[in-house]
Amino acid sequence: AYGLNPNDPRDAALDSDGDGQSNLAEYLAGTNPKDSRSYLSITGIGLWGTNGVQIMWGSAPNKLYSLQRAAAVSGGLGFTNIAEHILSTPPENVYLDSTVTNSRSLFYRVRVE
């Protein structure tokens, strides 16, 4: 669909649109590898009153996501799943992390399962 060669494994490692995501990562996420504005990322995050932290990300049809959280980030370590098997709700998913404690700072990331 995007002019990539399914028989050439080098295409998977390329970043055709220069957005920092490989063509394979974009395929798995359901994003457009030819559009630098199309990639899986958290699009919004903020406090939801005293109920927790609300996290939003763009989603693609027929995907499942895991949401991860860490109190500190050191080489990508320290992240743990706080939610798994989150069904996509295009064009955007919203999740309320109501398990937040009084941490000074938290880091979140979303992954495609």
Side-chain angles (χ1 to χ4, degrees), residues 45-55 67 69 82-83 86 94-103 106 108:
I45 188 167
L47 293 176
W48 188 256
T50 59
N51 297 324
V53 175
Q54 180 175 277
I55 303 99
L67 188 62
R69 181 181 69 206
I82 59 170
I86 304 169
V94 178
Y95 183 85
L96 180 63
D97 180 6
S98 60
T99 65
V100 174
T101 59
N102 291 331
S103 296
L106 294 170
Y108 289 91

Side-chain angles (χ1 to χ4, degrees), residues 3-12:
L4 301 173
N5 184 348
N7 298 315
D8 185 354
R10 294 174 296 177
D11 271 0

Side-chain angles (χ1 to χ4, degrees), residues 24-49:
L24 177 59
E26 297 224 39
Y27 169 78
L28 295 173
T31 57
N32 183 343
K34 300 287 187 167
D35 181 353
S36 64
R37 296 166 295 162
S38 176
Y39 55 90
L40 178 62
S41 69
I42 292 175
T43 57
I45 188 167
L47 293 176
W48 188 256

